Amino acid sequence: MPGASSLAANRLHVAMEKEPRLKTQGEQHSLVALILAAGRGTRMKSRKVKVLHELDGRPLIDHVCRTAQLLDPKRIYVVVGYQAPEVEATVRRLLPDKLASFVTQAQQRGTGDAIMAARDALNNSDSTLLVLSGDVPLIQAETLSSFVDHHRSSGAVCSILSVKLENPTGYGRIVRNELDRFAKIVEQKDASADEKQIREINSGFYCFDPAKLFSALERVQPVNEQGEYYLTDVPGILLSEGHTIELFLHNDARELSGINTRAELAEFENLIRRRTIRTLMLEGVTFIDPSHAYVSAKAQIGRDCVIYPDVLIEGGTVLGEGCLIRSGTRIANSRIGSNVVIKDHCVIVDSDILANCSVGPFAHLRMNARLEEDSAVGNFVEVKKSRLGRGSKAMHLTYLGDAMIGENTNIGAGTVTCNFDGKSKHETVIEDNVRIGSDTMLVAPVKVGSGSVTGAGSVVTKVVPPDSLVAGVPAVVKKRLK
Ligand code: UD1
Ligand code: CA
């Protein structure tokens, strides 16, 4: 990433949801946000549009939309073009309908042309228009809010958020005049050797007076190296018409850096991960090797948890206190209680594990699997859409699908809930204090009453009454236990 400076660990925390909404000053003018997201992102060399590539487990456009939302704008317009339906669907999942609007840029002929697509919607607006780039994900709401305030109090018709980079290659450069005020923006590909030396760059965030913006846009011509309509020509045009243009120089290079390549995407990912893990360590979580753990910025991990190398904790996963998570485990969108031990190489997705449970090694929990307190699942056990009651155990080579299992029940090695008859899924109910013998097949729908026992190798096709011993193929009652 060009010229990224070092920054304090918590400078750019990304868990935006936890922040209060920021109101900008000058409430007499409302704010409208416009996010540019129509470009393909050629430099990603991908079939997928750039703004849908993921950072910290969420599409780039997600990061920018959530930040824009924190500014409490009247509306957020998103300019879509390349893979428009996919981008639109992603944004619709994030923003309420009354907030999000979409404008289509049919052909991607440059950032100026992209804005032009929103002319009908915005030309007559008396709001301040804040333009954001869909590919600059670390931008912070506080920065934008100060930027908007500055724009409003300066009386400028256009303000540009700029930053100085150690390596400005690839960006549009800010050319200043002898009074150190804005003169023009020149794109990398059009810059002279001298201009390429300029380290102050255009971050791609602007505030505009909409009417002035659209009248200047009409004068933009695609006379440049790329044959595109550049939004970056607009400030120069407005200046030549005698309007005031403001530069708002920010000091955090990383926050304003855009993602254009997969290498930059990986650098951002790494940065966010390091920051998240550092914060967690300061809050009392042990990482055996912080450089080999992957924790989403949205996840919460309680004190005295110990995370071994090569663990992935994704999405909004919550871990209680004192958990031990061994190597090679992936936990996504799940809730784990306190003092849970997850042994090596488990996959836990969309599930709940209550306090004092033990899982794995090599266990797979998914689709609302739920382990009640003090229960245990051992090696090569898959639990899908099932609940294992308090103190119950399934320790070896077992499939529990669509099963409701009571308390203090033991599921023997090799047990399978045969939940699928080729057409539909059926439920298995196993009540409290049951012992399911090794290699039992439970052909659902079926129920095993409390206190019952199944013999090894039973194929249970009928309801087992409470306190009975069943065995055989198909299993029949051999003995009443009470
Ligand atoms: C742009 C700026 C450059 C600035 C840089 C900051 C222009 C001409 N250049 O360059 O001065 O330093 O951002 O990151 O504006 N897009 C569309 N439609 C298009 C083209 C692009 O919606 O026809 C969108 C893209 O999806 C992206 C954003 O505009 O979200 C920026 O486009 P990109 O091609 O990445 O511009 P840069 O070359 O980075
Ligand atoms: Ca860019």
Side-chain angles (χ1 to χ4, degrees), residues 272-287:
I272 293 180
R273 176 163 60 89
R274 283 206 313 267
R275 200 169 55 211
T276 303
I277 289 176
R278 195 182 138 78
T279 305
L280 287 167
M281 291 194 292
L282 294 174
E283 288 170 354
V285 179
T286 294
F287 286 86

Side-chain angles (χ1 to χ4, degrees), residues 41 43 50 111 133-136 170-171 203-204 257-261 264:
R43 289 164 279 181
K50 174 165 64 179
T111 46
S133 272
D135 63 347
V136 184
Y171 289 90
S203 68
S257 296
I259 291 179
N260 293 312
T261 65
E264 286 165 353

Side-chain angles (χ1 to χ4, degrees), residues 213-279:
L213 163 67
F214 290 106
S215 79
L217 263 178
E218 281 176 15
R219 296 181 49 195
V220 171
Q221 293 298 321
V223 284
N224 49 55
E225 190 57 37
Q226 305 190 81
E228 288 187 354
Y229 292 86
Y230 286 170
L231 173 59
T232 47
D233 287 348
V234 164
I237 292 171
L238 289 170
L239 185 69
S240 72
E241 291 173 344
H243 295 293
T244 307
I245 311 299
E246 275 290 306
L247 287 168
F248 188 78
L249 179 60
H250 190 53
N251 59 12
D252 190 331
R254 185 78 68 159
E255 183 184 341
L256 298 187
S257 296
I259 291 179
N260 293 312
T261 65
R262 295 196 200 227
E264 286 165 353
L265 186 64
E267 281 185 51
F268 273 74
E269 187 75 57
N270 208 10
L271 170 86
I272 293 180
R273 176 163 60 89
R274 283 206 313 267
R275 200 169 55 211
T276 303
I277 289 176
R278 195 182 138 78
T279 305

